[in-house]
Amino acid sequence: MKRKMYIAIAISIILAIALCVFIGLYIDEKKKNQIAYKNQYMENLTLTYEEINIYLEKGTDYEKHYNMILSDMGTARSMVFLINDYSSYRQNIINELHYCFVMYPRQMSERLEEISKAVEDITENLDKGYEDAEKIVDSIDKKGF
């Protein structure tokens, strides 16, 4: 009986150590995923403002560039919701900006220079970019096109 108890205690200790190792591995992997999400988010925002700038320089093939902007903004919108340490304010601004691109293309096409600057500021981790993006979203006539 005493021997079985020692074996049970030894197995319990081994299982507790294994549990701690797996918890540590989980936390480490979670941090790596958060870094990957942030990198993907910033990369897509960078692609967004680069695409806007390409269109503004060339001034041709608006639909192609607008679809690329929509695609990049959509991916950034998806990524921002996966980042745990971003505030709901930031998430909502990116979501609303993407929504405006989808629902109000005529109005957004008139504000591409402002949007480019705001998105560039966001990629440089400036809060001013989010504030500018919020002003752009607020300036959109939600009853129009």
Side-chain angles (χ1 to χ4, degrees):
M1 184 75 162
K2 195 174 189 181
R3 185 172 182 220
K4 288 183 181 180
M5 194 62 162
Y6 287 135
I7 291 173
I9 290 172
I11 290 174
S12 298
I13 291 171
I14 291 171
L15 289 175
I17 292 170
L19 180 64
C20 290
V21 168
F22 284 117
I23 289 172
L25 290 172
Y26 172 77
I27 291 170
D28 183 52
E29 193 65 29
K30 187 176 176 182
K31 287 179 184 177
K32 287 180 186 176
N33 286 341
Q34 288 297 306
I35 291 169
Y37 293 152
K38 284 180 186 177
N39 290 339
Q40 186 67 38
Y41 170 69
M42 289 299 177
E43 180 181 335
N44 281 291
L45 287 179
T46 301
L47 291 173
T48 298
Y49 84 78
E50 286 175 355
E51 197 65 38
I52 292 171
N53 290 337
I54 288 170
Y55 170 72
L56 291 174
E57 286 174 12
K58 293 184 178 180
T60 60
D61 206 6
Y62 172 72
E63 288 188 25
K64 173 190 167 197
H65 292 290
Y66 197 83
N67 287 332
M68 294 294 291
I69 293 166
L70 272 177
S71 174
D72 294 332
M73 279 299 299
T75 306
R77 180 186 59 88
S78 298
M79 288 294 140
V80 76
F81 283 104
L82 296 173
I83 301 171
N84 291 336
D85 59 345
Y86 276 17
S87 67
S88 61
Y89 170 75
R90 288 180 173 188
Q91 294 172 348
N92 288 336
I93 292 299
I94 295 299
N95 189 42
E96 289 177 13
L97 191 60
H98 178 258
Y99 175 79
C100 288
F101 268 109
V102 171
M103 296 303 292
Y104 311 106
R106 289 183 194 156
Q107 294 182 53
M108 294 301 279
S109 66
E110 298 168 358
R111 294 173 172 83
L112 287 178
E113 290 180 15
E114 300 167 43
I115 295 167
S116 176
K117 182 62 179 148
V119 173
E120 186 176 5
D121 288 345
I122 290 171
T123 60
E124 293 172 359
N125 291 320
L126 300 175
D127 287 335
K128 177 182 177 265
Y130 289 101
E131 293 166 4
D132 291 345
E134 183 179 27
K135 289 176 187 172
I136 294 167
V137 167
D138 291 341
S139 71
I140 298 294
D141 178 19
K142 306 278 190 312
K143 295 179 184 174
F145 288 103

